[in-house]
Amino acid sequence: VFAILEEFTPKVQPLSIDEAFLDVSGARALLGRPLEIAQKIRARVRDELGLAASIGVASSMFVAKVAGSRAKPDGLLVIPASETMEFLAPLPIQALWGVGPVTAKRLRNFGYSTIRDIQNADMEVLGPVLGERQAAHIRDLARGIDPRQIESHNPEKSIGRSQTFGDDLVDIADMHREILRMSTDVAARARKHDFLAHTVTVTVRYGDWATVTRSHTLSEPTNATKIVASEASAAACAWPR
């Protein structure tokens, strides 16, 4: 599963043996909106591994985690940034990270039972209940504010080049010319970093936003422009439309 996730983005932070956070902000230009990326991940996991995958999509790690939990056992839930507070509001205070049984009991004793109560809390009242620092943290989470970033310890595993054209390419010669241009750039960057590629992947997005991806694993790793371009062109020639 993690190998599949890392094909979509190198920014993968494992949370447990079967759960992870992904930052897909850098993949949107090539792979589409976060919803589309999540759909592709679920399809890959199901098709290749026969497993169900539940995914939460949100603008922060905390909200994505909550959305993912609500999407189980086999679903996808997207929470737009503008709807974050509304989504969190009816949930119990235990849904907030850092609110365990003891803290939850203390909060309930002071009249806080839902995340909405924390969202609307006066810090002059909430602060003495939890301490100023924890109270500020809890209220930020209740409002969907989570400044943490994905902490990935995985090295970059791919080098890519994408291009959006002002006019659709319809001539085969033009397509192959662009493939050669992008392959030249990718191979040069690979040689600069002394990287060798095992797989060449080509993704095409049509004017109606339909997206098709083809990959080929090489018999021997390479960073030669000629081989990368040849494999990419061969993949393009096998396109279904």
Side-chain angles (χ1 to χ4, degrees), residues 183 200 218 220-233:
S183 297
V200 175
L218 308 174
E220 295 183 4
T222 186
N223 55 19
T225 299
K226 183 177 180 180
I227 297 176
V228 173
S230 175
E231 293 293 340
S233 290

Side-chain angles (χ1 to χ4, degrees), residues 113-198:
S113 59
T114 67
I115 292 182
R116 177 181 284 106
D117 296 330
I118 304 298
Q119 291 174 345
N120 298 328
D122 186 332
M123 284 300 295
E124 293 185 0
V125 177
L126 186 62
V129 175
L130 298 177
E132 297 297 331
R133 184 173 180 178
Q134 185 179 14
H137 171 66
I138 293 300
R139 193 175 71 161
D140 279 349
L141 287 183
R143 295 181 174 184
I145 301 171
D146 182 8
R148 293 171 308 153
Q149 301 293 317
I150 300 296
E151 296 180 2
S152 174
H153 302 291
N154 298 326
E156 187 79 31
K157 293 189 175 181
S158 66
I159 294 177
R161 178 73 165 84
S162 63
Q163 177 70 49
T164 300
F165 300 98
D167 296 312
D168 290 347
L169 294 183
V170 295
D171 184 81
I172 294 296
D174 289 340
M175 296 178 191
H176 285 294
R177 189 178 301 112
E178 290 299 330
I179 287 175
L180 175 60
R181 181 177 63 83
M182 289 188 275
S183 297
T184 299
D185 176 70
V186 168
R189 288 160 56 199
R191 291 192 296 271
K192 179 179 178 180
H193 297 286
D194 198 27
F195 291 160
L196 296 174
H198 285 277

Side-chain angles (χ1 to χ4, degrees), residues 61-124:
M61 294 173 67
F62 166 64
V63 181
K65 176 69 168 68
V66 176
S69 297
R70 303 278 288 186
K72 292 179 179 179
D74 182 18
L76 168 59
L77 181 58
V78 179
I79 308 299
S82 61
E83 300 175 17
T84 294
M85 287 187 61
E86 181 182 350
F87 165 70
L88 294 174
L91 301 179
I93 51 177
Q94 295 95 313
L96 294 169
W97 282 346
V99 177
V102 174
T103 301
K105 181 178 179 180
R106 182 170 178 79
L107 286 169
R108 283 194 295 267
N109 288 340
F110 284 87
Y112 303 103
S113 59
T114 67
I115 292 182
R116 177 181 284 106
D117 296 330
I118 304 298
Q119 291 174 345
N120 298 328
D122 186 332
M123 284 300 295
E124 293 185 0

Side-chain angles (χ1 to χ4, degrees), residues 4-5 7 12 38 54 106 210 223 233:
I4 291 175
L5 299 182
E7 289 187 31
V12 178
S54 297
R106 182 170 178 79
N223 55 19
S233 290

